[in-house]
């Protein structure tokens, strides 16, 4: 008889890395650069609270919440396991398909309607954020076609925006490096300015002037394309790409007015900003947003299961649900019972443990600590809201750009290396606008936020000294 040891053994990190190099294709990664044995692979083994440990047992502050997903950190596993066990024992799977549903998805859709923006009452589930954006586009097209406007086939998005990598969502993403390898986009999209004021003329410091400027540009773009050809405009309440770009006062109300005037749908992409990231259930609530459609994912399950959703206003659903109309769209695993149960438990925990109150109570302190980084020579701008901040970096060239030497030495090497050596996982962009970004778990306390700010300050001070 053979026996199994009661204690588990870890697979050596070298073996894991080598196996990954042979068999695993990573997202958004130059996989060939990992090396034959995966020498450059970072393997995360476990999580606890706001921390993750790598396969060598080194602990890091997860300053990105697992790519904006793990709102609750990593210590609620027993509660989620309980919810998952109950659901799996009752029903492991049933599709939301052909006049069929299951109780957990129904309960979650009703729960979302109670916290969603005004007039948003219906939910179409999906597997993630890009699928939620694809769904928004198809619902918009169906809506207009059923209203006798089949020529509304264009979208408006914002410069630098990222809305996903499926072929439709990619059309709404302003990054030629991501789009061009796959040929022409599936959706004809016009890109207009985002709300980043850094480097603009001094008069745009004033919210009213900046909002007026942006809306005038948008109006001109609508007229140039033809108002009766626009199906939807999509924007994030705070744009992630380009570094936590917040809107000026009145901007979202202006978007609503333009959508109403010209008859297109307004879509708020809240894949990152929903479920507490900005201290509210939906980030748009901070900016008086009144969208027709909202896309969500990531934080809906706090990272404990995959799920996306497209939340739709009642007046849109009235059209697409008219007698005889069919919404020919769906995903096999949309609203999966397990993911729905996890999402319900996440919402329950967030309410019970007053997670939104924690963000609102500490966001002022984090804002103050982050603002202090602007005194460093390498930091050109600091912006963000809630637990979502970025520093835009300036370099050694006239106008704030980086020479090739400085970019390679600081942005691509020293800053990310020093952050990790200090025990902080943050995002360092090495693109047109070099950035350092944080999005810590919403359970973070004042001490942890101070530690994050201290590590950023120490690292960026060293980088400044190397300019």
């Amino acid at each position: 008889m053979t026996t199994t040891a009661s204690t588990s053994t870890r697979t050596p990190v070298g073996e894991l890395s080598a196996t990954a190099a042979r068999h695993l294709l990573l997202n958004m990664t130059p996989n060939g650069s990992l090396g034959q044995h995966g020498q450059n692979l970072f393997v995360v083994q476990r999580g606890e609270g706001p921390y993750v440990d790598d396969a060598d047992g080194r602990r890091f502050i997860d300053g990105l919440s697992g790519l904006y997903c793990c709102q609750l950190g990593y210590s609620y596993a027993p509660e989620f396991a309980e919810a998952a066990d109950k659901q799996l024992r009752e029903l492991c799977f049933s599709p939301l398909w052909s006049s069929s549903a299951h109780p957990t998805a129904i309960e979650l859709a009703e729960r979302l309607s109670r916290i969603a923006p005004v007039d948003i009452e219906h939910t179409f589930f999906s597997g993630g954020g890009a699928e939620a954006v694809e769904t928004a586009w198809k619902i918009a097209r169906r809506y207009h076609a059923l209203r006798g406007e089949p020529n509304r086939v264009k979208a408006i998005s914002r410069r630098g925006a990222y809305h996903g990598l499926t072929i439709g969502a990619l059309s709404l993403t302003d990054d030629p490096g991501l789009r061009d390898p796959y040929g022409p986009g599936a959706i004809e999209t016009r890109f207009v300015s985002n709300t980043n004021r850094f480097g603009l003329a001094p008069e745009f410091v004033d919210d009213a002037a900046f909002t007026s400027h942006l809306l005038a540009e948008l109006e001109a773009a609508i007229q140039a394309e033809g108002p009766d050809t626009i199906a939807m405009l999509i924007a994030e309440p705070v744009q992630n790409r380009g570094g936590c770009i917040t809107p000026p006062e009145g901007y979202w109300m202006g978007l609503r007015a333009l959508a109403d005037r010209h008859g297109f749908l307004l879509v708020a992409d809240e894949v990152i900003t929903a479920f507490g990231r900005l201290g509210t259930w939906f980030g748009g609530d901070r900016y008086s947003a009144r969208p027709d459609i909202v896309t969500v994912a990531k934080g809906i399950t706090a990272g404990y299961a995959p799920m996306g959703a497209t939340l739709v206003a009642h007046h849109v659903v009235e059209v697409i649900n008219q007698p005889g109309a069919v919404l020919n769209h769906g995903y096999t695993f949309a609203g999966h019972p397990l993911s729905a149960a996890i999402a319900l438990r996440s919402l329950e925990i967030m309410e019970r443990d007053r997670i939104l109150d924690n963000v609102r109570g500490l966001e002022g302190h984090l804002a103050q600590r982050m603002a202090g980084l602007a005194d460093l020579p390498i930091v050109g701008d600091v912006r963000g809201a809630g637990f979502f901040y970025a520093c835009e970096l300036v370099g050694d060239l006239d106008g704030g750009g980086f020479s090739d030497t400085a970019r390679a030495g600081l942005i691509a090497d020293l800053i990310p290396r020093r952050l990790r050596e200090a025990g902080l996982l943050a995002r360092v962009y090495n693109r047109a606008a070099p950035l350092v970004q944080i999005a810590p778990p919403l359970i973070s306390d004042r001490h942890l936020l101070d530690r994050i700010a201290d590590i950023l300050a120490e690292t960026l001070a060293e980088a400044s000294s190397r300019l």
Side-chain angles (χ1 to χ4, degrees), residues 249-291:
E249 186 177 354
Y251 176 75
W252 273 89
M253 290 182 283
L255 295 184
R256 179 71 268 162
L258 285 172
D260 290 340
R261 183 184 312 151
H262 297 298
F264 57 81
L265 296 182
L266 179 59
V267 180
D269 183 348
E270 297 238 26
V271 168
I272 290 176
T273 55
F275 305 108
R277 177 56 52 196
L278 305 185
T280 49
W281 282 118
F282 291 84
D285 293 345
R286 287 185 67 128
Y287 305 108
S288 302
R290 292 285 300 275

Side-chain angles (χ1 to χ4, degrees), residues 404-424:
D404 291 343
T405 300
R407 184 179 287 272
L410 299 179
I411 309 303
D413 178 38
L414 186 139
I415 293 174
R417 177 163 49 86
R418 287 286 193 257
L419 291 174
R420 191 166 289 186
E421 288 171 355
L424 175 63

Side-chain angles (χ1 to χ4, degrees), residues 19-377:
T19 301
R22 290 194 300 270
H23 301 293
L24 181 62
L25 289 174
L26 301 174
N27 297 205
M28 303 287 284
T29 301
N31 285 277
S33 300
L34 295 176
Q36 184 178 0
H37 302 291
Q39 297 95 322
N40 300 317
L41 185 66
F42 178 61
V43 180
V44 178
Q45 187 87 26
R46 65 184 300 273
E48 181 180 9
Y51 304 97
V52 293
D53 298 349
D54 72 3
D56 286 325
R58 295 173 297 186
R59 174 153 287 195
F60 301 85
I61 300 168
D62 184 2
L64 271 182
S65 299
L67 204 59
Y68 324 108
C69 295
C70 300
Q71 316 290 63
L72 299 173
Y74 301 89
S75 292
Y76 285 92
E79 290 197 57
F80 284 107
E82 178 189 37
D85 181 70
K86 179 178 182 296
Q87 180 60 58
L88 292 176
R89 289 179 185 276
E90 184 173 284
L91 178 68
C92 68
F93 177 69
S94 184
L96 304 179
W97 200 270
S98 188
S99 303
S100 175
H102 61 83
T104 318
I106 295 170
E107 183 181 353
L108 178 57
E110 189 278 333
R111 181 70 186 85
L112 290 170
S113 75
R114 285 191 273 131
I115 61 174
V118 175
D119 299 329
I120 302 287
E121 300 179 7
H122 304 262
T123 297
F124 191 105
F125 288 110
S126 58
E131 289 183 1
V133 170
E134 294 269 354
T135 299
W137 171 249
K138 293 181 79 172
I139 286 176
R141 287 282 293 117
R142 190 72 175 128
Y143 167 80
H144 292 301
L146 288 169
R147 294 179 77 241
E149 298 181 289
N151 292 328
R152 289 188 180 271
V153 295
K154 299 177 184 178
I156 296 176
S157 185
R158 299 191 298 184
R159 295 194 185 104
Y162 175 91
H163 294 292
L165 293 176
T166 55
I167 201 65
L170 189 59
S171 302
L172 308 171
T173 295
D174 182 32
D175 189 329
L178 297 177
R179 292 198 318 267
D180 290 354
Y182 303 100
I187 303 167
E188 187 175 348
T189 303
R190 175 76 172 248
F191 294 97
V192 297
S193 294
N194 60 45
T195 59
N196 189 358
R197 284 185 254 211
F198 182 59
L200 296 184
E203 59 264 29
F204 294 136
V205 171
D206 177 72
D207 273 11
F210 191 38
T211 295
S212 178
H213 168 76
L214 292 169
L215 296 178
E217 179 199 341
L218 177 55
E219 174 69 43
I222 293 167
Q223 294 300 332
E225 295 295 331
D228 58 351
T229 69
I230 308 299
M232 74 180 205
L233 181 151
I234 186 169
E236 297 166 278
V238 174
Q239 185 170 310
N240 174 53
R241 252 315 173 67
C244 303
I245 304 170
T246 58
E249 186 177 354
Y251 176 75
W252 273 89
M253 290 182 283
L255 295 184
R256 179 71 268 162
L258 285 172
D260 290 340
R261 183 184 312 151
H262 297 298
F264 57 81
L265 296 182
L266 179 59
V267 180
D269 183 348
E270 297 238 26
V271 168
I272 290 176
T273 55
F275 305 108
R277 177 56 52 196
L278 305 185
T280 49
W281 282 118
F282 291 84
D285 293 345
R286 287 185 67 128
Y287 305 108
S288 302
R290 292 285 300 275
D292 302 296
I293 298 175
V294 179
T295 59
V296 300
K298 295 186 182 289
I300 190 172
T301 60
Y304 280 84
M307 176 170 263
T310 305
L311 282 56
V312 189
H314 182 67
H315 69 270
V316 175
V317 172
E318 279 187 321
V319 173
I320 64 174
N321 279 2
Q322 62 184 261
V326 178
L327 183 57
N328 290 314
H329 178 61
Y331 308 101
T332 299
F333 292 110
H336 191 285
L338 179 61
S339 295
I342 294 295
L344 282 167
R345 183 57 58 92
S346 179
L347 296 177
E348 175 189 320
I349 291 170
M350 290 186 73
E351 284 194 334
R352 184 196 69 202
D353 293 356
R354 305 178 69 86
I355 301 300
L356 301 184
D357 289 345
N358 186 61
V359 177
R360 288 193 290 263
L362 291 172
E363 66 174 343
H365 178 69
L366 179 60
Q368 183 179 32
R369 289 302 315 271
M370 293 299 294
L373 300 175
D375 295 332
L376 296 168

Side-chain angles (χ1 to χ4, degrees), residues 61 365-366 368-373 376 391 418-419 422-424 436 438 446-462:
I61 300 168
H365 178 69
L366 179 60
Q368 183 179 32
R369 289 302 315 271
M370 293 299 294
L373 300 175
L376 296 168
C391 300
R418 287 286 193 257
L419 291 174
L424 175 63
V436 178
I438 59 164
R446 186 185 183 99
H447 172 76
L448 188 74
L449 297 177
D450 280 336
R451 182 61 188 140
I452 291 171
D454 289 343
I455 292 172
L456 290 174
E458 292 161 8
T459 301
L460 296 176
E462 180 181 355

